[in-house]
Amino acid sequence: MSDEPYPHRTSDRRVIPWLLFGLVAIFGSLYVAGYYVTSDRIPRGTTVEGVEIGGLTPVAARTALRDGLEGPADVPIVVVANGERSRLSPSRSGLTVDVPATVAAAGGGRSWDPVRMWDYFTGGSDEDVVVEVDRAALDAAVATVADRADVPATEGTVTFTDDGQAEATYPEKGTTVDRPAAAAAVRDAFLTDQGDGLDLPTQEADPVVSQDAVSRAMSGFANPAMSGSVVVRLAGAGVRLDPEDIAPALSMKPVGTELQAQLDGPLLLAALTPKMKTIAKAPQDASFKIVGGKPRVVPAKDGVTFAPDAVTGPFIGVLTKTGAERTLDVKGVRAPADFTTAAAKALGITEKVSGFTTNFPYAAYRNQNLGRAAQLVNGTLLEPGETFSLNDTVGERTAANGFTKGFIISDGVFKEDFGGGVSQVATTTFNAAFFAGLEDVEHKPHSFYIDRYPVGREATVAWGSVDLKFKNTTPYGVYIQASVDPSSPAKQGAMNVAMYSTKVWDIKTTTSARYNVTSPQTRQLSGPECVPNTGYGGFDIDVFRRFYRAGSSTLDHREKLHTRYTPSDTVVCS
């Protein structure tokens, strides 16, 4: 027997490390082999929304998913809310499939994870799609559906009718789409079968103003407000505003949970102001009148009015009162004239500086048209630098403006139209301005000469095309007086225009001989508007206006007016 105990154990201890090393090497080789076999493929049997991607590489799996989900991803999502059906386009609603993220979540991509390797051999599962959500687009799509489907609460309110009655509308609850919950439901329904449609979650909508609040508004304000008239008094006199006058200016608006009376001040004043004119005193501007051939200033007079807020401020408080307390006393406020006495006197209108008269034969239309035009021109005041326009002053010659039809010149012949004869007013006014030394801005002579007018110093007008204009270039105001002495079958009429100011110029005039004389032609016309005429020739003529300072015999300057008259053709009507 040997003296050494257990001699074989030394060799056993040397074998164990080698054995362990071998096992590690075997398992390591298998692990590395498993990595290369499994790590770049989807676990076998994996599906996504019915699309088979198991065993595929990530690139192939992404292609398969794009092809397989392209159709389902575009299927509209049918939603129902409050009985309203709508269709939402997934792409326009911000819902799209994130294919790379879906493949990664299903196990695509290389991995040293042994569980991942084990899954490859043992089989995958049905994986969910990773959905990319554009939250703003989804919320906007849901809001569009909700706006159509919402049944908002009916708010309690009080309205006032045009016939002076108060009417109550009592509140009712509504039903509205719960937008955040609806957005989540739509997102979850993406790529799923909605059956008869996805029912969106709704919520009850409560009105802000309760039935009790409406009742309080009716009894506390609305009914008392419409119970009777309100008297507004100014300077001891009063006017009455009836409920139908007041109602259009009233409303009741929610303030918190209660209804509060509101007054539309301009609407109330629109009803009140015409009535107040009967007791208020309008201001009167300073004016002029001619007394004994001399201009006199008619002093301005201040009026009495009221401050609008003196009515609108306390008015609501008066509406809840009864009897004699439904009266609002308003303090009178001075209403100054726009054109004061001092301003009128400062214009220096002290004397007659020119006047002119033209005559006209009898015709009823001339009496009417000249008289109406003179009425509109009379009293015109031109301040220094202002320009007179006869068309602006007289207005369009229409029946509504007081004119009738008469003869005018059109295209070189006579015809009938409204305002016939007004050129007589233009000619007379032009000559008055001519001799007052005012600046000739615009004037047009008649196309052919009419012998009752001063040759070379006459003017015609036509609405919208031909005007008479002159400018006050003096440092003083000019007051124009115009009048007509009507004609009759026994006598001619007279058109008179005078101008009052402070004399700046003495005007003298001379007229040349007629030259470039032309002969008339004969026209054959027909129709009911044809007016026969015996013609006469045309000619050129010059008029000179010479300016002398008032009281001076020294010529300051002169102006030349050249006029060319065409022939007045003979017209034969057939």
Side-chain angles (χ1 to χ4, degrees), residues 341-357:
T341 303
K345 290 180 177 179
L347 291 177
I349 299 174
T350 60
E351 60 184 321
K352 182 177 180 179
V353 295
S354 71
F356 204 80
T357 296

Side-chain angles (χ1 to χ4, degrees), residues 166-234:
E167 293 184 351
T169 299
Y170 289 98
E172 294 180 7
K173 292 185 177 182
T175 304
T176 58
V177 174
D178 184 340
R179 284 160 167 77
V186 170
R187 183 254 175 267
D188 293 340
F190 180 43
L191 296 174
T192 66
D193 182 6
Q194 295 97 45
D196 291 335
L198 172 67
D199 288 322
L200 296 182
T202 58
Q203 56 193 359
E204 195 173 71
D206 293 321
V208 174
V209 178
S210 68
Q211 183 167 329
D212 288 343
V214 173
S215 297
R216 286 192 293 272
M218 286 291 290
S219 61
F221 178 78
N223 286 332
M226 296 291 99
S227 64
S229 301
V230 172
V231 175
V232 180
R233 290 197 306 207
L234 174 67

Side-chain angles (χ1 to χ4, degrees), residues 7-189:
H8 63 279
R9 289 183 180 177
T10 300
S11 61
D12 287 346
R13 284 195 295 270
R14 285 196 295 267
V15 169
I16 290 173
W18 285 104
L19 180 61
L20 292 174
F21 176 78
L23 291 173
V24 169
I26 292 170
F27 281 110
S29 298
L30 292 174
Y31 186 60
V32 171
Y35 171 79
Y36 282 103
V37 170
T38 68
S39 62
D40 197 29
R41 294 183 180 273
I42 307 297
R44 293 177 179 177
T46 299
T47 61
V48 176
E49 295 294 333
V51 179
E52 295 282 351
I53 60 172
L56 300 178
T57 64
V59 172
R62 288 195 288 270
T63 300
L65 281 180
R66 289 191 181 97
D67 293 342
L69 297 180
E70 182 179 4
D74 286 336
V75 175
I77 302 170
V78 179
V79 297
V80 182
N82 282 338
E84 181 85 19
R85 296 178 68 84
S86 301
R87 295 161 64 89
L88 295 178
S89 165
S91 58
R92 293 179 182 176
S93 301
L95 300 175
T96 54
V97 176
D98 188 338
V99 172
T102 301
V103 171
R110 293 184 178 277
S111 174
W112 290 100
D113 185 353
V115 176
R116 162 75 178 76
M117 298 179 192
W118 178 256
D119 285 343
Y120 174 77
F121 292 106
T122 59
S125 59
D126 187 13
E127 299 291 335
D128 292 331
V129 169
V130 176
V131 178
E132 184 176 359
V133 181
D134 182 336
R135 189 69 194 186
L138 179 58
D139 288 345
V142 169
T144 299
V145 171
D147 289 342
R148 291 197 300 265
D150 282 349
V151 179
T154 299
E155 288 293 343
T157 188
V158 171
T159 56
F160 299 90
T161 64
D162 290 341
D163 60 351
Q165 302 294 321
E167 293 184 351
T169 299
Y170 289 98
E172 294 180 7
K173 292 185 177 182
T175 304
T176 58
V177 174
D178 184 340
R179 284 160 167 77
V186 170
R187 183 254 175 267
D188 293 340

Side-chain angles (χ1 to χ4, degrees), residues 1-2 6 26 29 32 39 63 70 100 148 187 214 231 242 303 324 344 361 368 371 439 465 480 490 514 549 553 573:
M1 179 176 293
S2 169
Y6 312 109
I26 292 170
S29 298
V32 171
S39 62
T63 300
E70 182 179 4
R148 291 197 300 265
R187 183 254 175 267
V214 173
V231 175
D242 295 321
Q368 179 172 338
E439 179 184 325
S465 58
I480 304 175
R514 302 180 184 189
R549 291 287 174 182
S553 59
C573 297

Side-chain angles (χ1 to χ4, degrees), residues 547-549 552-557:
F547 291 76
Y548 299 82
R549 291 287 174 182
S552 171
S553 59
T554 302
L555 178 66
D556 187 271
H557 65 283

